[in-house]
């Protein structure tokens, strides 16, 4: 079974477009391209990855799809389309002919309208994804979990995956309301969860693997081992820890599970979800 990193990014750094990468994150104010990740993955015993959009444009889709040429360790792409556009079905039909485009994502965490995903135009776009075999990555903060649950219930045939365990407030030690809403979302059998993006929600310079244990307890109790998948969030993770350390958080925690369950978390579930 392939070992898959279900969530990482590539970019050619642009200080204007990538203004979210502020000076506090200087370590990632540079280009990150496939040859570098190929080395990192091999070093960590991983076979492949899913590359996720880092810019909300169809130019980004073309960029990511172009990177797959000659880099067969990139097993799939999660791109971006304007789900609210009048021509959304035309765009989905277009991407259905690209073998490696597996799904789409919108940066809902950054929207002023916290419930944008429940607007009629957005839901119309979501309603068409299943027809073309596309998945949807849910990128949100904890205050939006209740909206994600409503969305998942409304589209039971659509495959959703929650990115970064919804970015709980790990640095502040908050867990209760997030925990309760994770359980509600996980009650939807069409929703998976990426065990990713945790180190950037902690104190970047003062965390240990134990920092994340109680959050992982919640996630694995809620989603189980059949709907969870490891993602590094490389290179964003580098602001708080290198690839080896980030992977070790999940590897150490999952050592309590059977070898088969670990294989699913580190590749099998991503392969199934994204049809890699």
């Amino acid at each position: 079974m392939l070992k898959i990193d279900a969530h990482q990014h590539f970019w050619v750094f642009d200080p204007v477009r990538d203004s979210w990468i502020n000076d506090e994150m200087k370590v990632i104010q540079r280009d990150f391209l496939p040859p570098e990740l190929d080395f990192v993955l091999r070093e960590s015993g991983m076979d492949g990855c899913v590359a996720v959009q880092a810019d909300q444009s169809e130019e980004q889709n073309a960029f990511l799809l172009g990177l797959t040429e000659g880099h067969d360790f990139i097993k799939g792409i999660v791109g971006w389309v304007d789900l609210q556009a009048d021509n959304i079905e035309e765009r989905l039909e277009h991407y259905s002919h690209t073998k490696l485009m597996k799904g789409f994502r919108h940066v809902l965490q950054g929207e002023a309208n916290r419930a944008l995903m429940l607007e009629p135009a957005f839901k119309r776009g979501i309603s068409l994804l299943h027809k073309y075999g596309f998945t949807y990555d849910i990128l949100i903060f904890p205050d939006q979990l209740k909206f994600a649950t409503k969305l998942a219930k409304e589209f039971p045939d659509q495959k959703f995956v929650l990115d970064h365990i919804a970015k709980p407030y790990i640095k502040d030690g908050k867990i209760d309301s997030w925990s309760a809403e994770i359980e509600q979302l996980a009650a939807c059998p069409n929703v998976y969860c990426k065990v990713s993006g945790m180190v950037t929600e902690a104190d970047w310079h003062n965390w240990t693997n134990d920092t994340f244990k109680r959050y992982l307890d919640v996630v694995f109790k809620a989603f189980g081992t059949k709907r969870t998948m490891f993602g590094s969030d490389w290179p964003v993770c580098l602001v708080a820890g290198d690839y080896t350390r980030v992977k070790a958080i999940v590897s150490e925690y999952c050592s309590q599970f059977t070898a088969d369950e670990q294989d699913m978390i580190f590749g099998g579930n991503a392969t199934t979800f994204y049809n890699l």
Side-chain angles (χ1 to χ4, degrees), residues 215-257:
Y215 296 92
L216 291 170
D217 284 343
V218 170
V219 167
F220 281 99
K221 182 182 177 185
F223 287 96
T225 57
K226 293 181 179 177
R227 287 189 290 141
T228 44
M229 57 184 89
F230 165 72
S232 66
D233 200 24
W234 182 94
V236 182
C237 67
L238 298 177
V239 301
D242 65 23
Y243 197 101
T244 301
R245 285 188 74 201
V246 168
K247 185 188 173 197
I249 297 166
V250 184
S251 295
E252 181 182 295
Y253 183 88
C254 291
S255 63
Q256 65 186 291
F257 302 132

Side-chain angles (χ1 to χ4, degrees), residues 105-144:
R105 181 175 88 154
H106 186 85
V107 185
L108 289 166
Q109 68 177 32
E111 291 289 347
N113 178 359
R114 309 307 283 159
L116 177 67
M117 68 191 90
L118 298 180
E119 294 291 340
F122 197 93
K123 289 196 294 186
R124 175 177 172 267
I126 292 287
S127 75
L128 294 167
L129 295 176
H130 179 67
K131 176 179 177 180
Y132 294 97
F134 289 122
T135 62
Y136 186 75
D137 271 54
I138 304 171
L139 178 62
I140 55 174
F141 283 130
D143 68 298
Q144 296 167 293

Side-chain angles (χ1 to χ4, degrees), residues 142-194:
D143 68 298
Q144 296 167 293
L145 274 165
K146 55 186 175 289
F147 307 130
T149 300
K150 287 182 181 179
L151 185 70
K153 286 180 175 177
E154 194 164 336
F155 299 100
D157 294 327
Q158 175 60 42
K159 290 200 293 186
F160 294 97
V161 61
L162 179 66
D163 288 353
H164 311 328
I165 68 172
K167 298 192 168 185
Y169 306 113
I170 298 172
K171 185 177 181 179
D172 298 328
K174 295 180 180 178
I175 193 168
D176 292 345
S177 60
W178 167 84
S179 173
E181 291 184 345
I182 282 287
E183 288 176 14
Q184 291 178 34
L185 180 60
C188 303
N190 55 324
V191 183
Y192 285 59
C193 184
K194 288 184 181 177

Side-chain angles (χ1 to χ4, degrees), residues 4-23:
I4 302 293
D5 180 339
H7 197 105
Q8 55 75 215
H9 307 282
F10 295 117
W11 62 67
V12 173
F13 182 67
D14 179 323
V16 176
R17 183 197 64 201
D18 304 322
S19 58
W20 63 274
I21 305 175
N22 58 35
D23 286 346

Side-chain angles (χ1 to χ4, degrees), residues 186-205:
C188 303
N190 55 324
V191 183
Y192 285 59
C193 184
K194 288 184 181 177
V195 184
S196 61
M198 296 182 295
V199 293
T200 46
E201 302 312 310
D203 180 335
W204 293 356
H205 309 294

Side-chain angles (χ1 to χ4, degrees), residues 34-51:
E36 183 175 355
L37 181 62
D38 189 14
F39 175 80
V40 170
L41 291 176
R42 290 173 188 271
E43 192 177 47
S44 298
M46 303 297 286
D47 300 309
C49 66
V50 175

